[in-house]
Amino acid sequence: MWRSLWRSIDRFSLQHFKSVITELRQIKVVNAQNRDTVVDLLQTIVEIVTYGDRQDPLIFECFMEYQVLAEFVRVLKISTSSTIEAPLLQYLSIMIQNMDSEHAIYYCLSNDYVNNIVAHPYNFDAGDLALYYVSFLRAVSSKISRDTLCLLVKVHGDVVVSFPMYTEALKFAQHEEKMIQTAIRALTLNIYNICDNNVYQFITTPPALIYFSDLVSSLRKQCLQLDALVNSSEDKCTHQRNKDIFLKTDKIVDDLFYFKDMLSVGESRLSRVVTQNLLSLLILPLLLPLLKLGENKGSYNISAVTSLYIVSRLLQVVGGKHLINGVAGLLLYHYMALCQRDAIATNGDIAGSIGDASPLLHSLNDINIKVSDHEAEGEKEININYLLQHLNVQTSSNSHFDGSPKDDNVYIERFGIFAYLFSDNHSISLASLFLLLTLAENKDLEHFPASLLGMSQSQGLMNNCESAFLKVDGSILVGLMPQILKTLLKVLACQPPVSPPMQWHTGWFLRKLLQCQGNKLTDDNIHLFNTSYEQSRECLQKELDGCWFDHIPDTIGHEWGSCKKALELQFHVKDPLFTLELEICQQAIDGNFNSCFAWERMVDAVKNLINVGFHSPSSTQGTYFHGMFT
């Protein structure tokens, strides 16, 4: 397609360039008979202009004098079919991408040439035209600056009333072709990073504003599809089902990184719009069912484990002060409201040891969320303040809470996410614990919710401790830590044993918590720990009678390093996808005893014994392997 640039210099002479332009001007209609000739002329012009931009200023002066871009627009209009559109857009993309001089870029973006090409009535129903069109838009967006952006918008007074390149690009935002979606997102980020005040005003007001709600609505649909896969009653733990879940979660995470990129631009209006839409259309409706406000208050009918996974992954990937504290404010609303009420009753104000929770609580009040309307078989908007008032009534009707969970653990465990923390469903229990610890370790969490969860922001990371989760007086998690540790150990020691992945991830949590200041095992918990170790040891000993017994020593040596690395993985880099994997595979082993299954069973036995060994409350891990074969 691209002709060699090292042919005779006569090909790139000014005289030859003028002759090619003249020939193009003589074309009165583009049809099947002359289509190839026209394509040849367009290609030649682009080659010569690209050469001239770098080597011969006279060529580009001729390009401007003869208004060649106007000829490109004319060719679009006189074509009797759409077959000329794809190559024309392709050559224009190549020309713009290869332009280096600011003078050339400024000219190409002026005089409405680009806007006319953008607004041409293309037929995108067939072929790859959409891909060429979007590539052209992306090429233009990569060249714009604060000085040239004004050439692509229409302004009335000081207000941008039209931005064709942006609005036309957004029509492809949900295109099924991944390359087109990626190009549109790159284009929007190019525009957002220019930071033009008038353009931001246009982007963050209707009708352009709807783009952001559409993005979150699309993400919401994907989350519902993921939940359907996770809770499918057919094909439990099949390879294809797991593959489908991984593909869906990958797509969700890609979308989350796009939201992160938008927030990383650092423009307050853009950040506010993105955050408000994520909170009102996705995060809060996902979390409301976890607060147990009743079935009619839920929005998506999504399972708890999927909801916890999505919110945890969102906080990990997107983050941000407003999202982090919005989630914390809702999850901890029961306890924050009670602490504030009791502080007022005790001190006459909300100052003092608990700090002022009002700003965090009130920051949620102006958010409208979409919830299910079963009677209308659709959705309706409800102000979050209405639901928070419902929470206040529910909270006030319960027993006194003095901000010290050590005396009110039974009360705490009855409400919200802490009820899920002690669920009989192990995957939900681990998912809720992961979300709470993800919040507790986030540096953007405000002081008051951080003190409730147990993170001391003033102390930072402890020496020789990978976690920022420290012992703080009045912390809910610190007060519940004995029960949390016992719950984890019960999972490891239960009969019949849970699946090897469940044991493994439970052990990971146990190790992280035991590393933190003040956390230690009671006598009862040590008994559970020893029971879990003995069970793991017995499982490995049984493999001595299996077909792979002679590979056990090598497997121990091979798995030790990888197990150690996995167990030392920190919270902020651990993918909460494991919670979904555990949920879909919580079923008994099917009794398959072929050699492949036997190998996997032997490796699992080795890994689980290593897993338990790493949590030893005494001596070194190596002692757990002493006498294993005696």
Side-chain angles (χ1 to χ4, degrees):
M1 178 206 67
W2 187 263
R3 298 181 178 183
S4 300
L5 295 179
W6 51 80
R7 295 181 184 177
S8 170
I9 193 63
D10 288 341
R11 172 175 174 74
F12 300 102
S13 67
L14 182 60
Q15 182 180 1
H16 178 61
F17 185 44
K18 289 180 180 180
S19 68
V20 174
I21 296 173
T22 300
E23 188 175 353
L24 181 64
R25 284 180 161 185
Q26 292 172 352
I27 301 294
K28 302 304 179 184
V29 65
V30 181
N31 51 34
Q33 286 70 38
N34 65 355
R35 185 256 184 199
D36 291 342
T37 300
V38 174
V39 169
D40 227 19
L41 292 171
L42 296 175
Q43 178 181 351
T44 302
I45 288 173
V46 169
E47 289 177 351
I48 297 174
V49 170
T50 302
Y51 167 83
D53 180 52
R54 300 178 180 180
Q55 304 292 334
D56 189 348
L58 293 178
I59 288 178
F60 200 81
E61 287 181 13
C62 178
F63 177 78
M64 293 187 293
E65 179 184 351
Y66 282 75
Q67 296 185 330
V68 177
L69 276 180
E71 289 299 311
F72 278 67
V73 176
R74 186 180 68 87
V75 166
L76 276 177
K77 293 179 179 179
I78 64 174
S79 177
T80 59
S81 69
S82 60
T83 57
I84 196 67
E85 296 171 352
L88 184 144
L89 291 169
Q90 183 183 24
Y91 296 142
L92 280 175
S93 299
I94 292 171
M95 182 181 73
I96 292 173
Q97 286 170 352
N98 286 278
M99 281 185 174
D100 292 329
S101 70
E102 293 182 5
H103 176 64
I105 295 171
Y106 191 92
Y107 172 77
C108 288
L109 299 183
S110 63
N111 297 311
D112 261 356
Y113 296 133
V114 168
N115 283 340
N116 286 329
I117 293 170
V118 168
H120 181 75
Y122 300 95
N123 179 11
F124 296 110
D125 293 338
D128 297 327
L129 182 58
L131 184 58
Y132 289 114
Y133 180 74
V134 169
S135 296
F136 167 71
L137 297 180
R138 181 178 181 177
V140 173
S141 75
S142 68
K143 297 296 183 178
I144 57 179
S145 64
R146 294 197 69 176
D147 295 328
T148 57
L149 184 59
C150 60
L151 302 174
L152 299 176
V153 301
K154 297 184 184 300
V155 180
H156 181 71
D158 292 330
V159 178
V160 174
V161 295
S162 175
F163 190 178
M165 185 181 75
Y166 181 76
T167 54
E168 291 300 318
L170 295 190
K171 294 178 181 179
F172 297 88
Q174 303 298 332
H175 198 278
E176 59 184 10
E177 175 60 50
K178 179 65 174 178
M179 290 179 62
I180 291 178
Q181 279 192 30
T182 302
I184 295 302
R185 293 183 177 186
L187 177 150
T188 57
L189 291 173
N190 287 338
I191 293 172
Y192 300 154
N193 276 290
I194 293 173
C195 297
D196 181 87
N197 182 64
N198 291 334
V199 170
Y200 269 119
Q201 186 64 30
F202 174 83
I203 288 169
T204 57
T205 54
L209 178 64
I210 197 174
Y211 172 59
F212 302 101
S213 59
D214 285 346
L215 277 176
V216 180
S217 296
S218 174
L219 178 58
R220 178 182 65 187
K221 291 178 182 177
Q222 294 181 60
C223 294
L224 290 172
Q225 292 168 0
L226 172 63
D227 190 57
L229 286 171
V230 171
N231 294 286
S232 173
S233 59
E234 300 178 358
D235 301 326
K236 288 285 186 181
C237 289
T238 64
H239 174 74
Q240 183 59 46
R241 183 179 175 212
N242 289 338
K243 181 179 178 181
D244 291 342
I245 289 175
F246 295 153
L247 290 174
K248 181 59 66 176
T249 54
D250 283 346
K251 191 171 189 325
I252 289 173
V253 171
D254 283 345
D255 289 352
L256 295 181
F257 273 108
Y258 179 47
F259 286 114
K260 178 182 177 63
D261 289 339
M262 286 192 283
L263 293 179
S264 298
V265 171
E267 209 286 329
S268 59
R269 283 166 294 185
L270 178 64
S271 297
R272 183 171 60 253
V273 166
V274 171
T275 301
Q276 289 279 7
N277 276 284
L278 283 172
L279 283 170
S280 63
L281 298 180
L282 182 67
I283 299 176
L284 299 186
L286 284 177
L287 292 178
L288 285 175
L290 299 182
L291 296 175
K292 298 188 175 180
L293 292 175
E295 296 181 2
N296 63 327
K297 296 295 189 289
S299 177
Y300 302 152
N301 295 321
I302 195 169
S303 66
V305 70
T306 306
S307 174
L308 292 164
Y309 161 76
I310 293 166
V311 177
S312 296
R313 203 68 175 109
L314 190 147
L315 296 184
Q316 278 187 332
V317 174
V318 181
K321 188 177 182 67
H322 295 297
L323 286 180
I324 293 292
N325 290 286
V327 171
L330 196 63
L331 289 181
L332 302 176
Y333 188 84
H334 285 295
Y335 318 105
M336 293 165 63
L338 283 168
C339 284
Q340 180 170 299
R341 185 195 68 188
D342 292 345
I344 294 173
T346 303
N347 304 321
D349 56 37
I350 54 176
S353 61
I354 66 163
D356 188 353
S358 297
L360 186 60
L361 298 178
H362 294 164
S363 67
L364 299 173
N365 291 355
D366 61 348
I367 297 177
N368 290 326
I369 64 171
K370 287 187 176 181
V371 298
S372 300
D373 187 344
H374 298 294
E375 294 181 359
E377 297 184 352
E379 290 183 329
K380 62 180 180 181
E381 283 195 353
I382 296 180
N383 190 277
I384 188 65
N385 188 48
Y386 168 80
L387 296 175
L388 294 180
Q389 289 174 356
H390 180 87
L391 271 176
N392 272 330
V393 173
Q394 186 182 43
T395 298
S396 300
S397 65
N398 286 284
S399 62
H400 175 78
F401 176 70
D402 64 3
S404 177
K406 297 176 183 178
D407 299 325
D408 294 279
N409 287 345
V410 174
Y411 166 76
I412 291 174
E413 293 170 26
R414 289 204 304 264
F415 292 98
I417 193 170
F418 293 99
Y420 291 96
L421 187 61
F422 300 101
S423 169
D424 292 333
N425 184 318
H426 301 317
S427 59
I428 291 179
S429 178
L430 295 185
S432 58
L433 180 58
F434 189 90
L435 175 54
L436 287 169
L437 295 179
T438 298
L439 280 173
E441 292 208 334
N442 195 283
K443 59 180 174 44
D444 289 325
L445 189 64
E446 292 183 4
H447 175 73
F448 184 61
S451 65
L452 279 179
L453 284 176
M455 187 182 80
S456 175
Q457 294 178 323
S458 61
Q459 294 180 10
L461 293 174
M462 288 181 56
N463 293 330
N464 303 319
C465 181
E466 299 171 359
S467 176
F469 180 75
L470 308 176
K471 184 174 182 179
V472 179
D473 290 340
S475 160
I476 296 174
L477 285 181
V478 169
L480 293 174
M481 193 53 62
Q483 293 98 309
I484 294 174
L485 294 175
K486 188 172 184 179
T487 297
L488 295 174
L489 285 166
K490 281 183 176 180
V491 174
L492 293 178
C494 72
Q495 283 290 352
V498 295
S499 66
M502 181 68 74
Q503 295 182 46
W504 179 261
H505 290 290
T506 301
W508 178 84
F509 276 100
L510 185 62
R511 183 174 188 271
K512 292 299 176 188
L513 295 178
L514 288 176
Q515 283 183 317
C516 298
Q517 180 185 21
N519 293 342
K520 59 183 180 180
L521 299 181
T522 63
D523 291 341
D524 289 342
N525 287 345
I526 290 176
H527 173 73
L528 288 172
F529 180 90
N530 291 333
T531 300
S532 67
Y533 166 70
E534 287 300 326
Q535 289 178 179
S536 297
R537 184 174 178 271
E538 289 173 5
C539 287
L540 185 57
Q541 284 185 316
K542 289 179 182 178
E543 295 304 317
L544 295 176
D545 297 327
C547 58
W548 297 106
F549 74 94
D550 54 335
H551 288 269
I552 291 178
D554 290 339
T555 302
I556 292 174
H558 179 267
E559 293 294 338
W560 181 271
S562 59
C563 287
K564 183 176 184 294
K565 182 178 179 180
L567 286 168
E568 292 176 348
L569 196 65
Q570 298 186 26
F571 279 104
H572 69 278
V573 294
K574 186 176 179 67
D575 189 343
L577 179 62
F578 75 90
T579 58
L580 301 186
E581 295 172 338
L582 297 179
E583 178 69 12
I584 63 177
C585 288
Q586 285 196 100
Q587 56 183 23
I589 295 174
D590 61 7
N592 189 346
F593 293 104
N594 60 49
S595 60
C596 180
F597 175 82
W599 171 266
E600 293 176 355
R601 185 183 60 199
M602 183 273 289
V603 173
D604 284 336
V606 169
K607 291 172 67 175
N608 280 321
L609 190 60
I610 294 173
N611 178 28
V612 176
F614 266 99
H615 309 111
S616 167
S618 62
S619 189
T620 62
Q621 291 90 356
T623 61
Y624 281 87
F625 296 96
H626 179 68
M628 184 182 297
F629 301 102
T630 61

